[in-house]
Amino acid sequence: MNAKIHKINRKTKIHPLGIAAPTDFEFDEGEDIAVETLLKNPHISLYCLDPDERRVILVETPEDVVLSDFPFYYSAQYQQAVRLVTLSYDRLHDIADQIDFDSQQLILIYSVGRCGSTLLSSALNQLKNITVFSEPDVYSQLVRQRQWNGNNDAQISKLLVSCTKLICRQSTPKISDRRWVIKLRSYGIELADLLANNFPQAKILFLYRQIETWIRSSLRASIGEIPDTPESLESMQKAVGNLVSLIARFPEPNRPLSYIEILTVTWLSVLECLQRLHQQGYPPFIINFEDLIATPNSVIKQIFDFCDLPHNNLSQILKVFTQDSQSSTALSWENLQRTQPQLTPEQLEQYLREAKSLVNCYTNCKNIALRARE
């Protein structure tokens, strides 16, 4: 079966930071297009999965648009899309099987979020022969589809491999002289074990920051009102539990988790996944946010050495650290000044105490401590 190309009738995505989905577009039935034509066009890129129809959705963007230059890949794809292409899972796997991909060409970036991962992606994007994908959302979808008991790991792994190959192949048809950086959303680390098994020679970077400063930054990035009703918190916990394994493992509580508890357990879940990577024998290069900001020259050199990247053009690369890496997005400094919740110093201090207490309990007693919530 060939691919199909579709006219976009309407763009329908509601939240700019929402995970990419086939419902983001209304489109026509489409016409057949030869797969060879699809593969020759570097302006067609993989956007999302459509599991109900067992197909993938790709977007075509204008020739003068370079998606890797945008802070968030999925957002740029949506905003810039002019047509869609659909391809069945079976055809996707057939194409991927024919792509000779060396995992040494791949660099994977995981993080707790709010810790400079977008900044680092932007810095790496300054290098020649490097293509950066800052949050392709097929990975977010695969986190959501993964069963935490591992029952569908084989299916998820197959899609991971095929999608990764197609993403890289489409960006640069001549792949022998390129390297790719894929930066995932924070919960993308829930796939790190599968990615490591399938791409064992990929370089792995992990960025983090301490819970106190992370909570402060996360609260600043909380667009609008902080949920505080049982209904809103229950809904949020359910949604996050589809993406964060430690949230999903909670026993049925007498009350929903508070907003700060949800944030904190999400932070802890990322660190649990990091620990599993170490246990698998794939220790990443760990980058502290404070070090990256305070001494970017030294940290960037260490990262480049770890990833076997050249040190030339460092002065140009370091200019990135004077800019807002999320400019023009909902998470830009300017936008967050307008949309962040207004907290009193007392509220902030209470939230920080709550987060640190939960982290200490978890560190001392692991999951048992989490059941002791009042």
Side-chain angles (χ1 to χ4, degrees), residues 9-58:
N9 296 324
R10 191 162 70 99
K11 296 182 180 181
T12 54
K13 190 169 188 175
I14 297 173
H15 196 293
L17 301 179
I19 294 174
T23 53
D24 291 347
F25 302 97
E26 289 180 1
F27 52 96
D28 66 13
E29 290 297 319
E31 300 177 356
D32 286 347
I33 179 177
V35 169
E36 292 73 22
T37 303
L38 163 68
L39 294 176
K40 289 177 182 178
N41 188 340
H43 304 289
I44 294 177
S45 58
L46 181 56
Y47 179 71
C48 73
L49 306 172
D50 185 356
D52 291 339
E53 300 293 334
R54 289 188 52 79
R55 63 184 178 180
V56 294
I57 294 178
L58 304 94

Side-chain angles (χ1 to χ4, degrees), residues 13 42 109 123 162 171 187 334:
K13 190 169 188 175
I109 299 179
S162 294
S171 68
Y187 40 78
E334 182 181 356

Side-chain angles (χ1 to χ4, degrees), residues 107 120 123-127 130 179 203 205 285 297-314 317-318:
I107 299 171
L120 177 59
L124 291 170
N125 198 43
Q126 307 305 307
L127 292 174
I130 288 263
R179 294 188 70 179
K203 300 293 186 180
L205 305 176
F285 183 84
N297 195 331
S298 172
V299 174
I300 287 293
K301 286 180 179 178
Q302 294 176 56
I303 292 170
F304 282 19
D305 287 341
F306 178 80
C307 295
D308 301 319
L309 296 172
H311 282 208
N312 57 323
N313 202 30
L314 273 181
I317 291 167
L318 291 172

